[in-house]
Amino acid sequence: AVNAGKGVGPRIYAYCFIQDATDLDGTCNYYAKGEPRPGDGVPGTGTGCISGPGSWEGPPWYQDTIFLTDEERASMSTDDYIANGAAQIRWAIQNGICDAPDFKLMSDEDLFHYAVNAGKGKVPRIYDYCYIEDATGKPSAACNYYAKGKPGPGYDGVPGVGTGCIVGKGSWEGSPCWYEDPSFLTILTKKEVMSMCTDDYIANGAAQIRWAMRHGLCGDAPDFMSMTDEDLFQYAVNAGKDMVPKIYSFCFIEDATGKPDAACKYYAKGKSPGFDGVPEGTGCIVEPDTYCWYENSSFLTDEEIKSICTNDWISNGAAQIRWAIKKGLCHREGIPSIGPE
């Protein structure tokens, strides 16, 4: 925990460390720290001073703390400051004060500032890869802030293939917004573009990080089965363009629009013997008011056929990808456990 406080190693989970104040004119030589609430000392809302000879020579700080059990008070009030500090950190772990936050529920401001702190090494990156680079004052930087994620082909900026520049007053004030460029319109929905192109750079940066979380560019694979049809379809198309990782290992949607020899505009792909289409053949995704390839499939249930043969090709494609996930055709080995049917 002391090393974590010096930046030698990562903090415990997301927030916990011990501050070494031996060279400062503080009351104590060591302080146990956790998630700010608003004070960051643990336990409680104080400074987190660690009692005991070698840190603080007075009466133990926590012998009368009302929200601790008798056993917890005793463990933090010995004559051994090392044991006391370890007890304070363990208390913080047990009470969720060291844990990484739920990034999906964070406000824009909280998510932005966490990501900036992650870029500075003050807290762990979001999942494994995501952070915001603070480039303010760097003469070679076009933008003050950049959203970053899992390195892919070329750049590590999110979204997509750029540097991850965050637009808006305070970061980059040019026009038009980076993400209105046609190169991004192939991987972003109009709603996503709008969320990254407001006048508020904090909201824009948070939207870019959220996009990266949804698309597996922060390290954790998204919950594909819970995605909306539109989000799953768009993710699978992006996976086909190598903008985001493939679904588990194999699944994606091939965008064949504009290809003169293509019978269909989109094809659902996975791990399948012979052809790689899912659920069979080329994986053609049926468009509205056209014959549905899958109406006479002997291995699909009536419900599955109905889901793949609607008049909405986005819903059809999402249904084909979900079918492949359920059948283990997106994974390297076996059929995943995805809960009850």
Side-chain angles (χ1 to χ4, degrees):
V2 170
N3 286 342
K6 295 176 179 178
V8 176
R11 295 191 179 183
I12 296 170
Y13 298 113
Y15 287 108
C16 286
F17 65 97
I18 288 175
Q19 178 189 358
D20 182 349
T22 50
D23 293 331
L24 304 176
D25 294 329
T27 304
C28 308
N29 285 339
Y30 296 96
Y31 297 86
K33 300 291 187 178
E35 180 183 6
R37 300 168 280 116
D40 61 355
V42 291
T45 55
T47 63
C49 173
I50 296 172
S51 298
S55 179
W56 192 71
E57 306 288 340
W61 284 94
Y62 308 109
Q63 59 186 355
D64 299 318
T65 303
I66 59 174
F67 56 81
L68 297 175
T69 66
D70 290 342
E71 185 178 356
E72 288 169 341
R73 291 190 198 99
S75 70
M76 300 175 193
S77 302
T78 75
D79 289 334
D80 183 348
Y81 76 93
I82 290 177
N84 296 341
Q88 288 170 235
I89 294 295
R90 288 193 184 98
W91 180 91
I93 294 170
Q94 291 167 350
N95 287 273
I97 296 171
C98 300
D99 287 347
D102 187 338
F103 300 111
K104 295 177 183 178
L105 298 180
M106 275 184 160
S107 67
D108 287 350
E109 186 173 4
D110 286 346
L111 180 60
F112 186 94
H113 289 303
Y114 183 98
V116 169
N117 286 336
K120 295 177 178 178
K122 293 183 177 180
V123 295
R125 294 187 178 183
I126 295 170
Y127 301 122
D128 292 314
Y129 292 103
C130 284
Y131 64 97
I132 288 176
E133 177 189 351
D134 182 351
T136 50
K138 294 182 179 179
S140 61
C143 308
N144 286 339
Y145 296 95
Y146 296 85
K148 300 291 187 178
K150 186 176 183 179
Y155 294 105
D156 60 354
V158 292
V161 295
T163 62
C165 172
I166 297 171
V167 305
K169 188 176 181 180
S171 181
W172 186 76
E173 301 182 34
S175 180
C177 175
W178 292 96
Y179 305 108
E180 294 172 343
D181 185 271
S183 64
F184 289 101
L185 292 175
T186 62
I187 64 168
L188 299 175
T189 65
K190 290 181 179 179
K191 184 178 180 181
E192 289 169 339
V193 171
M194 290 175 63
S195 72
M196 300 175 192
C197 291
T198 75
D199 291 331
D200 182 348
Y201 75 96
I202 288 178
N204 296 341
Q208 288 170 235
I209 294 295
R210 288 196 175 96
W211 182 91
M213 287 193 285
R214 288 197 303 271
H215 289 78
L217 296 179
C218 293
D220 271 13
D223 183 355
F224 298 110
M225 295 299 288
S226 297
M227 279 184 168
T228 64
D229 288 350
E230 184 180 11
D231 285 346
L232 180 58
F233 188 95
Q234 188 63 57
Y235 182 99
V237 170
N238 290 344
K241 297 176 180 178
D242 288 329
M243 300 296 183
V244 296
K246 288 188 169 61
I247 295 172
Y248 298 113
S249 295
F250 290 101
C251 285
F252 64 96
I253 289 176
E254 178 189 350
D255 182 351
T257 52
K259 294 182 178 179
D261 58 342
C264 307
K265 291 183 178 178
Y266 295 95
Y267 297 86
K269 301 291 187 178
K271 180 180 69 171
S272 184
F275 288 105
D276 60 354
V278 292
E280 63 178 326
T282 63
C284 173
I285 296 172
V286 178
E287 296 185 58
D289 301 317
T290 58
Y291 171 72
C292 182
W293 301 89
Y294 309 106
E295 285 181 348
N296 299 315
S297 294
S298 60
F299 57 86
L300 295 175
T301 66
D302 290 342
E303 185 178 352
E304 289 168 342
I305 291 171
K306 185 178 179 181
S307 71
I308 295 172
C309 293
T310 76
N311 240 8
D312 180 351
W313 51 270
I314 289 178
S315 294
N316 295 342
Q320 287 171 236
I321 294 295
R322 289 193 184 99
W323 181 90
I325 294 172
K326 290 178 182 178
K327 300 299 182 182
L329 297 179
C330 298
H331 295 70
R332 291 193 179 280
E333 294 181 4
I335 297 175
S337 174
I338 57 172
E341 292 288 339

